Amino acid sequence: MGKNYIDIENDQGETLRYRKHANGRGLIAHGAKVHASALVEAGAYVEPGVRVAEGAFIGKGVWIESGVIIGPGARIAPHAHVGPDAVIGGDAKIGIRCEIGAGAKVAPGSILPDDESVAAGKTLITDRRGLRHIA
């Protein structure tokens, strides 16, 4: 059986250790907390200080930067990027190749279509059809 972790050097020359999540084999940094029922697909990176709640889905190629909170049942489609200290509410849906800026918030149940973004520090609130509301 192969090793269950990988060491990667960051831009500052520090070595970070990532373990492979049992549910999906995505890479989880030391210091991140990912619920056992969350699915983190292979090729996804979850950085230190991230909290992922039960039933969340993180697709392949997703990069979740440090300090992010992901609520229960949230879905982040492949190749999305979530900036540091952002909050993704429960049952929110983030589309393919979406960009969530630093400190941005996505309200629970909101939908962000493919190839869209939420600017740093902004809040996204939509209805169940994905129609945006002023935040």
Side-chain angles (χ1 to χ4, degrees):
M1 180 173 224
K3 65 182 183 178
N4 203 29
Y5 66 89
I6 186 170
D7 292 326
I8 299 175
E9 187 175 321
N10 68 13
D11 294 337
Q12 291 75 39
E14 304 164 323
T15 300
L16 297 174
R17 178 162 283 184
Y18 294 82
R19 65 181 165 78
K20 295 176 184 173
H21 190 5
N23 193 10
R25 309 297 284 165
L27 296 176
I28 311 299
H30 180 71
K33 301 248 187 243
V34 179
H35 195 276
S37 70
L39 174 61
V40 182
E41 290 189 330
Y45 285 85
V46 176
E47 301 294 348
V50 171
R51 303 289 180 259
V52 180
E54 65 274 0
F57 169 81
I58 299 173
K60 68 180 183 175
V62 171
W63 178 25
I64 309 291
E65 292 197 57
S66 62
V68 170
I69 298 171
I70 299 174
R75 297 189 53 80
I76 302 175
H79 307 293
H81 172 231
V82 181
D85 302 314
V87 177
I88 309 297
D91 295 317
K93 291 178 178 44
I94 307 300
I96 297 169
R97 294 176 305 275
C98 285
E99 186 80 27
I100 307 298
K105 294 176 177 48
V106 177
S110 291
I111 298 169
L112 185 63
D114 296 348
D115 299 308
E116 294 284 332
S117 63
V118 178
K122 299 295 183 182
T123 299
L124 172 71
I125 302 172
T126 73
D127 61 17
R128 293 287 179 182
R129 296 173 294 170
L131 298 174
R132 292 182 189 231
H133 297 275
I134 297 172

